[in-house]
Amino acid sequence: MAEADANLTPRVKAVGTHLGLVGLSFVVSIMVLSGVGLMPGEAIECGVIGMLLIHGAAAVGALFPRRATAASCVVIFCVPFLPAGCEMGFSVRRAYHRRYVLPADRFRDHLASAVPPSVTNLRFVPLSESKLPDLMFRFDIAPADLDDILAERGFKRVSPGELPRQNDLFRDPGYLPLGGDDQTFQGQDKWGTVMVIKTNGTHTRAIFRRG
């Protein structure tokens, strides 16, 4: 009897450890998937059902190992977490693409066929700051490179009051300030859409807006 109890104790510990890891995987999966964003109702239902099924199967599998080893713990946690882990990887990739790839693409579309080497900190202006749904990005740049872009793209310096939209937020000097001596330039793309560049007096920082 004593020998049976001694053999049972590692088994009970293994079951407890593995079930705890399944529970942890479920909680972390919920946290990851809750940040995915809006999805159709059917997709949400299928995702929840699938997550419950795979974690249920993992919980059943957690009852069989006689001992908790490093390998068993990794398998018990990672297998049910795989769908959420894949989604987390896709989210990281999307965030990287939006932060580093898309702004450079828009720069090439509207300002220069190649991003000058001096351009740094190129990023979209978030809606919380821009207050507008228009395409907006900001960047640091060497003055000579910015001056070349302004000349090649036909931007003309204007006073904020000369901007065509009466409700243009760039008319307000306190809107997205760059240094207190800011300058405003206006141009048009090949479709006739107004483009605005706001820059500081030394032409080392700029904000671009299309629309």
Side-chain angles (χ1 to χ4, degrees):
M1 180 66 71
E3 184 179 353
D5 291 340
N7 292 332
L8 183 61
T9 300
R11 179 80 175 269
V12 171
K13 289 182 178 179
V15 170
T17 300
H18 292 149
L19 287 177
L21 288 172
V22 173
L24 178 62
S25 172
F26 183 79
V27 171
V28 177
S29 296
I30 288 289
M31 294 173 62
V32 171
L33 296 179
S34 65
V36 170
L38 297 178
M39 293 187 299
E42 296 82 358
I44 295 175
E45 293 174 1
C46 290
V48 171
I49 292 173
M51 190 168 58
L52 289 173
L53 287 175
I54 194 170
H55 280 85
V60 173
L63 303 176
F64 292 97
R66 294 180 177 276
R67 293 182 180 275
T69 65
S72 68
C73 290
V74 170
V75 171
I76 288 294
F77 178 85
C78 291
V79 170
F81 182 70
L82 184 60
C86 290
E87 179 56 40
M88 185 167 62
F90 293 145
S91 297
V92 170
R93 182 179 178 183
R94 287 193 296 267
Y96 176 87
H97 190 74
R98 178 172 176 79
R99 174 63 180 84
Y100 296 103
V101 178
L102 290 181
D105 288 344
R106 300 294 81 80
F107 191 105
R108 286 187 286 267
D109 289 342
H110 300 292
L111 293 182
S113 58
V115 180
S118 68
V119 171
T120 58
N121 297 323
L122 175 59
R123 60 200 184 279
F124 288 124
V125 178
L127 186 60
S128 60
E129 297 180 20
S130 69
K131 313 299 182 185
L132 297 167
D134 302 314
L135 169 66
M136 294 183 68
F137 55 81
R138 63 195 310 157
F139 53 94
D140 299 338
I141 189 171
D145 288 335
L146 181 59
D147 291 342
D148 287 344
I149 290 173
L150 294 173
E152 291 174 5
R153 292 293 181 174
F155 281 88
K156 303 297 182 182
R157 185 174 179 181
V158 297
S159 67
E162 293 178 292
L163 294 172
R165 285 168 28 184
Q166 295 299 314
N167 62 345
D168 197 322
L169 294 178
F170 275 128
R171 288 172 173 251
D172 178 6
Y175 176 66
L176 299 177
L178 293 173
D181 53 353
D182 301 341
Q183 301 172 3
T184 306
F185 295 83
Q186 180 179 306
Q188 291 185 347
D189 62 15
K190 59 184 178 181
W191 296 282
T193 303
V194 174
M195 301 185 297
V196 177
I197 287 181
K198 181 177 183 177
T199 178
N200 61 346
T202 56
H203 287 200
T204 58
R205 291 185 294 160
I207 296 174
F208 169 87
R209 187 194 72 200
R210 180 180 184 270

